[in-house]
Amino acid sequence: MTSQEHRRIDDLGTLKAIAHPLRMRLYRALFVSRTATASQLADQVDEAVSLVSYHLRKLAEHGLIEEAEAQSADGRERWWQPSSYGFSIRDEDVRAPELAAATAAFGRTVDEQRREMYDRFRDERHTWSEEWRSAAVSSEWLPRLTAPELASLGKELDALLQKYDRRARAAEAAGDTEGRENVAVHLHGFPYRGTA
């Protein structure tokens, strides 16, 4: 990854590019693998290499991913990596109607894919070791906060998760791969009215 910062998305073209379901799956798979070729990603998402290559180029056009240093001697392979440590979409950047609509489409895509990931875990829970089943977290909290408190909570959670991720990436780079698995942490924090 070139940048360790989140990329701030505030334009319609980039929002539309990442809102595409296959592109979001490819971005997520690339973020997890750190670097990959179109062929490797095609295997992960069960799509044709030509289709994956097309969508990777679209993500690159919008600066979400970039070419990576080759990981093999095969000069025909094109390697990709995320261009930043994730991205963010801020409400103040997407208030225009067309941006709001694209943000809503992106949100639906992400929520659907998150639900699919969690449903898959629940369906396959018995295939994981007792240690992983016990470590899995599913919680809900219903605190009464102000908007600034919720914003602060989000920043603290983001910093905490980035700390764990960076520590894990450094350990893995040093050869500590024993027992490591990909872990998804999904959290929503939003106001609501009425009964829960």
Side-chain angles (χ1 to χ4, degrees):
M1 281 176 249
T2 299
S3 171
Q4 289 299 307
E5 301 298 317
H6 277 88
R7 156 114 188 259
R8 189 168 173 173
I9 297 176
D10 59 3
D11 67 282
L12 185 60
T14 305
L15 278 169
K16 285 182 173 181
I18 197 64
H20 187 282
L22 179 56
R23 290 182 194 149
M24 188 63 228
R25 288 176 58 212
L26 290 169
Y27 181 87
R28 183 180 282 119
L30 190 56
F31 188 84
V32 170
S33 65
R34 297 171 181 86
T35 60
T37 65
S39 296
Q40 292 168 336
L41 292 168
D43 288 342
Q44 291 182 44
V45 298
D46 197 28
E47 295 288 349
V49 175
S50 59
L51 181 64
V52 168
S53 292
Y54 168 80
H55 286 293
L56 289 171
R57 287 191 304 275
K58 288 297 181 188
L59 290 170
E61 282 177 24
H62 293 281
L64 294 163
I65 66 171
E66 62 192 14
E67 283 194 60
E69 186 177 313
Q71 306 293 310
S72 69
D74 187 348
R76 296 172 298 160
E77 292 182 317
R78 190 174 188 182
W79 288 80
W80 296 98
Q81 66 186 7
S83 58
S84 63
Y85 187 86
F87 56 85
S88 64
I89 301 169
R90 298 185 184 169
D91 184 65
E92 65 264 23
D93 294 335
V94 294
R95 292 192 175 143
E98 63 277 2
L99 288 167
T103 301
F106 169 74
R108 284 189 293 277
T109 296
V110 170
D111 287 344
E112 181 179 315
Q113 290 181 1
R114 287 175 179 167
R115 187 175 50 254
E116 288 171 0
M117 289 173 74
Y118 189 58
D119 286 347
R120 189 174 337 122
F121 168 72
R122 286 189 301 199
D123 290 344
E124 298 171 356
R125 188 177 185 99
H126 68 279
T127 67
W128 290 94
S129 69
E130 174 61 32
E131 181 179 29
W132 278 108
R133 289 193 309 268
S134 295
V137 177
S138 178
S139 299
E140 180 179 38
W141 300 273
L142 301 172
R144 290 184 53 82
L145 304 174
T146 64
E149 288 170 335
L150 178 57
S152 178
L153 174 63
K155 288 177 183 173
E156 287 182 42
L157 288 168
D158 186 59
L160 179 64
L161 288 166
Q162 283 191 42
K163 178 182 90 171
Y164 271 85
D165 184 49
R166 288 189 173 117
R167 185 188 309 160
R169 286 175 185 257
E172 197 168 31
D176 178 9
T177 58
E178 185 67 31
R180 292 197 182 278
E181 296 286 352
N182 296 321
V183 173
V185 179
H186 301 154
L187 179 70
H188 301 282
F190 53 89
Y192 67 94
R193 293 189 175 100
T195 59

